[in-house]
Amino acid sequence: MSRSNFALRFKTLVGVPPLDYLARWRMQSAIRTVRSTDRTIASIAGEFGYASEAAFSNAFKRITGHPPTHYRP
């Protein structure tokens, strides 16, 4: 199956493109980590593949609508 056919079929079945789904899944995992640990946002950003805290925070806010600190207990 070609990549474009896969993406089209995925979007038809799931409702969002594969990369959007992956980004949301990663941020849901990041939310769980932010809520359940007292680690710094920078260390969590590195765990999830971001080179900087700022890049992670921007992506986090774009996807969730809130900054990572919003999810701190």
Side-chain angles (χ1 to χ4, degrees):
M1 175 181 282
S2 72
R3 201 172 4 171
S4 60
N5 283 342
F6 171 78
L8 180 61
R9 182 149 169 82
F10 190 96
K11 185 175 181 180
T12 300
L13 293 172
V14 178
V16 295
L19 291 179
D20 288 352
Y21 179 87
L22 178 61
R24 290 178 187 181
W25 181 82
R26 285 174 71 195
M27 287 305 160
Q28 289 301 314
S29 294
I31 288 170
R32 282 192 299 275
T33 303
V34 168
R35 284 183 174 159
S36 65
T37 67
D38 60 351
R39 292 172 42 205
T40 65
I41 300 300
S43 72
I44 295 170
E47 178 183 339
F48 285 91
Y50 289 88
S52 70
E53 181 178 351
F56 174 72
S57 294
N58 287 338
F60 195 101
K61 188 171 183 178
R62 180 175 29 82
I63 293 167
T64 67
H66 301 285
T69 54
H70 176 80
Y71 293 93
R72 285 284 185 197

